[in-house]
Amino acid sequence: MKKWSHRKPPMNFEWWGPTPKESRRIRISKRKDLYDKNMSLKDAVSKFIVRLGKRNKRSLNIGIGGFVNTRLPVAITHEMIRQGGIKDITLSYQSCGYVQDILIGAMLVDENHISIRRIEQAWAGHELLGLASCFRYAIENSLIEIDDYSNYGMSARFKAAAMGTSFIPVRDHGGSSMQYVNKGIAIRCPFSGDNVYLLPACHPDVAIIHAQVADSYGNCRIFGQLCTCSELALAANYNIVTCETLIPNENIRRYPNLTEIPWFAVDAVVEQPWGAYPVTCWGFYWYDIEHLKEWISAGKEFRKTGKIAPLEEYLNKYIFECQTFDDCISKIPYKRLRRLIELDGHQPITV
Amino acid sequence: MVEYNAYEMIAYTSSRLLKDKTTVFIGTGLPMIAAIHAQKTHAPNIVLLFEAGSLYPIMELGLPISVGDTRVGVKSCVMKGLCMAFELTQRGFIDYGFIGGAEIDQYGNANATMIGEDYSHPSVRFPGSGGAGHMAANCERTIFIMPLEKRRFCKKINFVTNIGYGDGSADYRKRAGVLGKGPWRVVTHIAVFGFDEITKKIMLLEVAPGYTVDDILDRMDFEPLIPNEGIKPMSEPMPEDLRIIRDIDPEGLFLKRKVEE
């Protein structure tokens, strides 16, 4: 047998979530047959986030699917905020806008209801529509610990985890200040002699993902940009998936090439039309810019004046006064929703 | 005399720098407008790549408001995810990358992370690297695109989010382990910069008509190199260019923003 060279883990290194070893053990121990995972959003969040978090001895790492304001798991996030009892969590994603910002907003309103301890990420904001004010406020006031990567960095970390390997070499981060603050290390490639940058895998405890189409076992089809959803789902130890429309398993088997997430990665499937509203979901609807601006301006006012009322009003109106996400969608004028469908213009495959 | 604003000039100039039959990694906003203008004029065969996973789209549904917008996926040849986009770049399929940035220094390093001394307690926090960190590292050449404002052209930046030529040493990028050649041009509304091959310092190449070199220096926190062969005037958009550019962004989402004087 070849002799392994020993190298100690870097100083202060800590996984901000389950270790690769623990993640492997969880995957091996879980059921892998086809069984019906269709359940209410309430039950899914209660079982796989709130209760999982309470059982966890360390900060629960939640991976967020989608990208910036595309196909974000909005309905799941609203349900998390509605239920509360989610403490000291870690968020991991490449780029995110609305979802991470309202979670932080909810923490700023009541940290006993929901609180975020750490974020590992590449980018936070709403692109053209503005900056993520709650995120900025929380980082500027050291309320949340942060770890910065590039979009590829976070994607590659999920990919490494999905591959079942504990790290991945990449060709960015080196030579930037990120290498002094994040968990990666620069190393010489033993084969080429080139310097490369190693990133540790990122296994979220649970990932939250919105797909367009799924069957009740958890096989998911994703249309439009895939973002990092397939890698994320395999990286995470549990997955909650919402979908615009449920289809029978026989349809999945008709075009198996279209399956982006395999059933045994998934723990809960919830059919939730408009589940990514107000962000865009290919094949179903475009952004509701007006609505996004409502949240963005509430956050902006808070960061500027310190007044919490605009955040509270938004969360009360669209989350706390609603029993379900359908109640939230019911508050949006029908004509506006119809317009968003028209603005999309894409065609998902459901047959 | 053609009337145009700052962002129209940036979009036009960036388009002018792109070559036909090349591949370009596109960021949100002006890069999209520049690339679509190039596609409609002098570079009909230019290939666009977006980080959320869309390769070679034909964007006919209107201007996307984000690189993650479903609109950037219209009629693509290939559509996957972020890993594909960045790995294609790492592999050597992508010639140019367009990068914005909150602050840039004289070696083309950019800060998009934070202002302040303490990373865990910044005085101002920006969104973060996003895709730019990888583009700056691994696109063969990068083009910065931003208005010329004093707050953006800094002698020293607190945090290097996106690698340029580092401290200017000849092997900085090699030691960093990145694959691309590095910053090539910096396009602003009244000046275009390049980089000196030896010192890796930013160099003033072109100035817009109606402006002097001093006007440019007034808007910077450091002095760029001046080439021996002199400074060229920036070419101005023709009415037809402006018509195309305004057609791409009819509401002025990106084109009608203000520049700090």
Side-chain angles (χ1 to χ4, degrees):
Chain A
M1 198 176 177
K2 275 189 184 170
K3 208 175 159 200
W4 300 100
S5 66
H6 291 282
R7 193 192 162 108
K8 282 186 188 153
M11 289 267 287
N12 304 324
F13 179 79
E14 181 195 349
W15 300 96
W16 281 11
T19 62
K21 196 188 255 178
E22 185 185 348
S23 302
R24 161 90 190 183
R25 187 175 50 71
I26 291 170
R27 275 295 170 205
I28 286 288
S29 70
K30 283 173 74 178
R31 250 182 103 169
K32 297 169 193 83
D33 60 329
L34 287 184
Y35 64 93
D36 190 353
K37 292 160 187 165
N38 202 353
M39 62 179 81
S40 72
L41 191 50
K42 201 172 164 198
D43 288 348
V45 167
S46 156
K47 192 169 175 191
F48 296 108
I49 294 182
V50 180
R51 276 189 274 164
L52 194 68
K54 285 188 178 134
R55 282 209 308 274
N56 229 9
K57 290 190 189 86
R58 42 155 185 79
S59 172
L60 189 79
N61 187 313
I62 299 179
I64 301 172
F67 174 72
V68 191
N69 279 336
T70 281
R71 213 168 32 69
L72 295 179
V74 174
I76 304 174
T77 306
H78 276 213
E79 185 58 34
M80 284 165 64
I81 295 174
R82 194 159 29 241
Q83 287 192 23
I86 300 169
K87 305 290 266 298
D88 269 341
I89 54 172
T90 297
L91 300 178
S92 52
Y93 53 84
Q94 359 80 346
S95 289
C96 192
Y98 179 77
V99 156
Q100 134 277 110
D101 213 36
I102 59 167
L103 280 170
I104 299 172
M107 169 170 101
L108 295 171
V109 167
D110 181 2
E111 59 175 6
N112 293 314
H113 185 70
I114 192 160
S115 64
I116 299 152
R117 188 174 156 208
R118 290 165 159 174
I119 291 180
E120 26 190 8
Q121 68 132 34
W123 199 87
H126 306 277
E127 297 235 28
L128 171 70
L129 302 179
L131 298 162
S133 298
C134 294
F135 165 84
R136 301 182 80 194
Y137 178 88
I139 305 300
E140 286 161 358
N141 291 283
S142 306
L143 303 177
I144 297 175
E145 198 180 341
I146 189 156
D147 199 13
D148 274 286
Y149 299 85
S150 72
N151 274 334
Y152 183 55
M154 282 308 295
S155 299
R157 294 186 62 204
F158 292 135
K159 186 175 191 167
M163 289 160 71
T165 179
S166 52
F167 70 88
I168 189 165
V170 297
R171 301 307 291 258
D172 58 348
H173 302 87
S176 79
S177 303
M178 287 189 284
Q179 69 170 0
Y180 301 111
V181 297
N182 73 24
K183 292 202 261 293
I185 52 170
I187 198 167
R188 182 159 298 183
C189 165
F191 305 106
S192 67
D194 289 352
N195 288 345
V196 298
Y197 198 70
L198 302 188
L199 292 171
C202 177
H203 287 279
D205 287 284
V206 51
I208 55 178
I209 292 170
H210 184 69
Q212 282 90 347
V213 180
D215 71 6
S216 60
Y217 304 127
N219 289 300
C220 301
R221 287 181 185 169
I222 299 174
F223 296 96
Q225 298 96 320
L226 301 178
C227 311
T228 317
C229 288
S230 351
E231 292 89 349
L232 174 64
L234 297 180
N237 292 331
Y238 294 85
N239 282 288
I240 302 175
V241 169
T242 50
C243 64
E244 291 292 325
T245 184
L246 268 179
I247 58 169
N249 180 252
E250 63 188 71
N251 295 21
I252 292 285
R253 290 181 189 271
R254 189 175 294 129
Y255 297 110
N257 281 125
L258 295 179
T259 308
E260 281 296 330
I261 300 175
W263 79 97
F264 53 21
V266 176
D267 301 88
V269 180
V270 183
E271 188 179 42
Q272 179 60 66
W274 296 95
Y277 174 89
V279 309
T280 182
C281 182
W282 169 289
F284 289 87
Y285 41 90
W286 202 53
Y287 306 93
D288 188 344
I289 292 179
E290 211 177 312
H291 186 102
L292 283 168
K293 279 185 178 165
E294 211 176 311
W295 170 256
I296 293 164
S297 59
K300 207 168 169 182
E301 198 185 325
F302 166 73
R303 184 168 172 267
K304 211 160 111 188
T305 65
K307 279 188 209 142
I308 200 82
L311 298 181
E312 267 175 333
E313 277 161 30
Y314 179 94
L315 296 177
N316 285 341
K317 183 174 175 192
Y318 295 108
I319 299 179
F320 294 119
E321 287 166 17
C322 302
Q323 298 283 323
T324 63
F325 193 69
D326 285 349
D327 292 343
C328 167
I329 297 298
S330 302
K331 295 191 172 186
I332 314 302
Y334 171 73
K335 280 188 179 165
R336 206 152 112 193
L337 294 178
R338 196 165 163 167
R339 177 85 186 120
L340 303 181
I341 297 172
E342 285 165 10
L343 284 169
D344 169 63
H346 301 292
Q347 186 62 55
I349 304 168
T350 55
V351 291
Chain B
M1 182 70 187
V2 194
E3 291 280 328
Y4 53 84
N5 71 27
Y7 284 96
E8 288 164 350
M9 183 62 159
I10 296 178
Y12 166 74
T13 307
S14 315
S15 164
R16 180 164 63 81
L17 293 174
L18 294 173
K19 290 187 191 75
D20 198 21
K21 300 179 186 173
T22 55
T23 50
V24 191
F25 203 131
I26 302 284
T28 294
L30 290 174
M32 294 176 184
I33 299 173
I36 299 172
H37 175 267
Q39 222 172 24
K40 290 188 171 180
T41 54
H42 66 97
N45 305 300
I46 199 160
V47 174
L48 313 184
L49 171 66
F50 292 88
E51 61 191 291
S54 166
L55 174 59
Y56 209 173
I58 299 166
M59 291 188 288
E60 53 189 31
L61 276 185
L63 186 67
I65 64 162
S66 151
V67 283
D69 191 335
T70 40
R71 284 180 174 179
V72 307
V74 181
K75 294 193 174 172
S76 313
C77 281
V78 182
M79 188 134 58
K80 301 283 183 194
L82 278 92
C83 284
M84 179 201 75
F86 292 117
E87 285 158 12
L88 289 177
T89 308
Q90 221 169 239
R91 178 66 185 86
F93 285 103
I94 307 303
D95 301 316
Y96 296 101
F98 267 128
I99 297 179
E103 301 177 336
I104 179 177
D105 72 9
Q106 59 179 336
Y107 295 110
N109 304 295
N111 174 16
T113 303
M114 57 122 201
I115 292 176
E117 294 301 321
D118 181 0
Y119 171 69
S120 58
H121 192 78
S123 57
V124 181
R125 173 70 208 202
F126 300 126
S129 165
H134 193 269
M135 289 156 71
N138 296 316
C139 288
E140 188 60 0
R141 305 256 60 167
T142 49
I143 301 172
F144 286 93
I145 177 164
M146 62 179 89
L148 188 67
E149 294 167 336
K150 201 156 196 161
R151 64 185 172 119
R152 291 178 185 272
F153 287 75
C154 309
K155 200 168 207 159
K156 189 174 173 351
I157 55 178
N158 286 121
F159 195 97
V160 177
T161 314
N162 308 321
I163 184 175
Y165 294 110
D167 56 7
S169 52
D171 62 345
Y172 188 87
R173 291 181 65 90
K174 187 171 179 289
R175 280 187 287 126
V178 301
L179 296 163
K181 284 209 184 87
W184 178 59
R185 289 288 183 273
V186 181
V187 178
T188 75
H189 63 304
I190 49 175
V192 177
F193 302 87
F195 291 85
D196 180 55
E197 288 205 6
I198 309 296
T199 62
K200 308 292 183 192
K201 277 191 186 167
I202 202 165
M203 181 186 271
L204 182 59
L205 300 180
E206 299 178 9
V207 173
Y211 290 88
T212 64
V213 172
D214 283 342
D215 293 331
I216 307 303
L217 300 184
D218 281 349
R219 290 169 173 81
M220 298 173 73
D221 193 27
F222 58 85
E223 280 205 13
L225 300 174
I226 308 287
N228 297 333
E229 60 271 27
I231 292 160
K232 291 184 193 141
M234 273 169 92
S235 87
E236 293 182 289
M238 303 298 283
E240 178 63 6
D241 293 308
L242 289 168
R243 190 192 60 77
I244 292 169
I245 285 170
R246 288 167 191 163
D247 260 7
I248 300 167
D249 182 14
E251 291 162 57
L253 293 176
F254 299 95
L255 294 173
K256 286 191 182 151
R257 288 171 300 166
K258 276 194 193 130
V259 173
E260 256 179 38
E261 280 302 321

